[in-house]
Amino acid sequence: MDYTATQSGFRQQPSMRLRNSSVDGADGSQLFEDTSGAGSASQAGYRNQQPGAQAAGFPGQSLLSDPMSNLAMAYGSSLATHGREIVDKNLDRFIPISKLKYYFAVDTVYVGKKLGLLVFPYMHENWEVSYKQDTPVAPRFDVNAPDLYIPAMGFITYVLVAGLALGTQNRFSPELLGVQASSALVWLIMEVLAVLLSLYLVTVNTDLTTIDLLAFSGYKYVGMIVGVVAGLLFGRPAYYLSLLWCCAAIFVFMIRTLRLKLLSEAAAEGRLVRGARNQLRMYLTMTIAAAQPVFMYWLTYHLIR
Amino acid sequence: VALQEESASMAFTLYSLIQTAILCTNAVAVLHEERFLSKIGWGVDQGVGGFGDDPGVKAQILNLIRSVRTVMRVPLIIVNSACIVLLLLFG
């Protein structure tokens, strides 16, 4: 319905867009960006003529001649935009939308390279995240930057592949999908909380945010999917082989990524630095990296019988 | 039967995560300062040692215990009461 599409740039609905532009706050608070060039340009134009043009907007509606339904429609759409504005304002308080947007700024090339890196990290040399004037560069421009797209897609694919695997063994029922999803999510949350707790206890001064840790913990789903699919296609030996390969790959990947973030500069370059703190940090990095293969096996071995 | 055949890890739900969190927080909150923590050398005055940039693991743990006990006392009362009422009503 055209009347509810307040975000699109329809030139025949000037009153709709007027109301939209009058209640629309800063563009950064929108959940979805208005990519229609016509809409944003005419929004800017209408903002200037807003007071005078609003009265003339009503006769512009041509499709319904009944003024009562016109009024009702206008009221309904204003309620909708008002509600959307409230949701936007309050949602930003609980979930940092702008920060999340950074983690989803990926493109196909990045995803391809990152997946290759997750399965074969041995040839990659430069693991540093590049910065642009103190802010990390978006994942689109830097392979080493963490993102949330691959973990999110990996999680969903893992749940689906688990359902597929259970179905081939005649153990499937729709509730099992929910059980798998929630238990994998619980393990993920517990792992992130454990890592956060251990980072706090060891007082590592790092710029790793919680979302970064979530992203790193979510990368193991890629290896799990590869293992389960290989096991489905070629049997148990293939499952064990591919899982072993992916576990080693994730282990190396995590160590090389976390080394730069957790250890001090000197230790990260490979020089032996004595001191109890550096040793503790080294142990912490190894524990986090070693926990990944354990989880990968734990969450998939019951799928291959 | 299939669900019971699954290992224990598969029975996790988000509700059990909440239960775990409540139980763990309760466990930390009931540690008594005088009767227990001071006796084993984990008292409030025994944690903060140096003021350098390296508090150490023990100091961090003591700090964490003390802050959980201070901050979570009242919310835990509320959450525990709600939990008790819900368990009584719905089993």
Side-chain angles (χ1 to χ4, degrees):
Chain A
M1 287 281 284
D2 294 345
Y3 299 99
T4 53
T6 54
Q7 277 285 50
S8 58
F10 277 105
R11 292 198 187 281
Q12 294 95 10
Q13 319 290 331
S15 60
M16 297 298 152
R17 210 166 44 248
L18 280 178
R19 214 158 287 107
N20 188 24
S21 61
S22 61
V23 300
D24 205 354
D27 274 308
S29 71
Q30 285 178 351
L31 201 52
F32 300 104
E33 281 156 3
D34 185 5
T35 49
S36 59
S40 46
S42 42
Q43 260 185 19
Y46 274 110
R47 244 182 228 129
N48 297 331
Q49 331 165 8
Q50 181 185 327
Q54 229 173 12
F58 270 103
Q61 302 213 5
S62 48
L63 272 133
L64 278 184
S65 50
D66 184 12
M68 273 313 281
S69 51
N70 270 350
L71 211 58
M73 211 116 44
Y75 181 63
S77 77
S78 87
L79 268 185
T81 41
H82 193 53
R84 190 182 64 88
E85 179 206 352
I86 290 184
V87 165
D88 275 346
K89 225 178 1 177
N90 287 333
L91 193 60
D92 206 36
R93 263 196 282 159
F94 296 118
I95 310 174
I97 295 288
S98 46
K99 279 193 238 165
L100 274 184
K101 270 197 209 170
Y102 159 79
Y103 287 97
F104 283 100
V106 296
D107 62 346
T108 332
V109 175
Y110 168 82
V111 171
K113 279 201 230 167
K114 194 81 183 200
L115 287 178
L117 212 60
L118 283 169
V119 178
F120 196 79
Y122 308 107
M123 304 291 289
H124 193 72
E125 276 144 14
N126 182 21
W127 291 84
E128 289 220 1
V129 182
S130 34
Y131 284 84
K132 187 169 87 163
Q133 295 155 353
D134 232 15
T135 58
V137 170
R140 199 174 292 153
F141 306 114
D142 178 23
V143 182
N144 295 319
D147 72 312
L148 274 181
Y149 176 78
I150 292 180
M153 293 294 129
F155 180 74
I156 298 175
T157 315
Y158 162 73
V159 174
L160 293 175
V161 166
L164 182 70
L166 289 174
T168 56
Q169 300 159 27
N170 291 326
R171 281 193 292 152
F172 181 75
S173 80
E175 299 96 48
L176 275 184
L177 275 185
V179 169
Q180 290 284 343
S182 57
S183 60
L185 197 65
V186 162
W187 280 115
L188 187 70
I189 293 177
M190 289 214 293
E191 182 188 347
V192 171
L193 286 179
V195 171
L196 273 175
L197 181 70
S198 49
L199 281 181
Y200 169 77
L201 287 181
V202 179
T203 55
V204 174
N205 283 330
T206 175
D207 54 351
L208 275 181
T209 63
T210 315
I211 309 187
D212 279 339
L213 291 174
L214 195 65
F216 286 136
S217 302
Y219 279 144
K220 62 163 130 14
Y221 289 118
V222 176
M224 288 184 344
I225 294 168
V226 168
V228 174
V229 167
L232 281 178
L233 288 175
F234 301 117
R236 290 197 85 183
Y239 163 70
Y240 283 122
L241 275 176
S242 53
L243 198 70
L244 203 64
W245 175 272
C246 290
C247 285
I250 277 278
F251 186 72
V252 171
F253 177 87
M254 290 297 284
I255 289 221
R256 288 202 183 160
T257 313
L258 288 179
R259 194 169 60 162
L260 289 169
K261 301 246 175 184
L262 292 183
L263 301 182
S264 58
E265 295 252 344
E269 288 168 20
R271 284 184 259 146
L272 265 176
V273 180
R274 299 275 168 207
R277 269 184 89 209
N278 279 312
Q279 223 178 22
L280 207 53
R281 288 181 178 185
M282 201 55 206
Y283 283 149
L284 180 68
T285 320
M286 307 220 60
T287 315
I288 296 178
Q292 310 288 319
V294 169
F295 277 120
M296 283 170 70
Y297 182 68
W298 186 267
L299 284 171
T300 51
Y301 77 98
H302 63 281
L303 295 175
I304 309 282
R305 284 282 171 89
Chain B
V1 173
L3 276 176
Q4 285 160 9
E5 267 178 17
E6 309 281 339
S7 67
S9 70
M10 285 306 114
F12 275 169
T13 59
L14 284 174
Y15 175 64
S16 64
L17 186 67
I18 298 178
Q19 267 187 325
T20 316
I22 293 179
L23 285 175
C24 282
T25 329
N26 275 336
V28 174
V30 298
L31 297 173
H32 195 276
E33 176 59 44
E34 291 177 3
R35 289 185 212 150
F36 178 65
L37 290 178
S38 305
K39 298 274 168 60
I40 61 170
W42 278 21
V44 175
D45 46 349
Q46 290 145 354
V48 183
F51 281 99
D53 59 348
D54 186 4
V57 182
K58 179 178 167 188
Q60 291 289 93
I61 296 181
L62 299 191
N63 220 358
L64 189 63
I65 293 180
R66 186 164 50 102
S67 41
V68 166
R69 283 178 55 235
T70 337
V71 169
M72 298 297 287
R73 192 154 283 179
V74 173
L76 267 183
I77 296 176
I78 302 173
V79 170
N80 280 334
S81 319
C83 222
I84 291 172
V85 167
L86 282 174
L87 281 175
L88 280 178
L89 287 179
F90 300 118

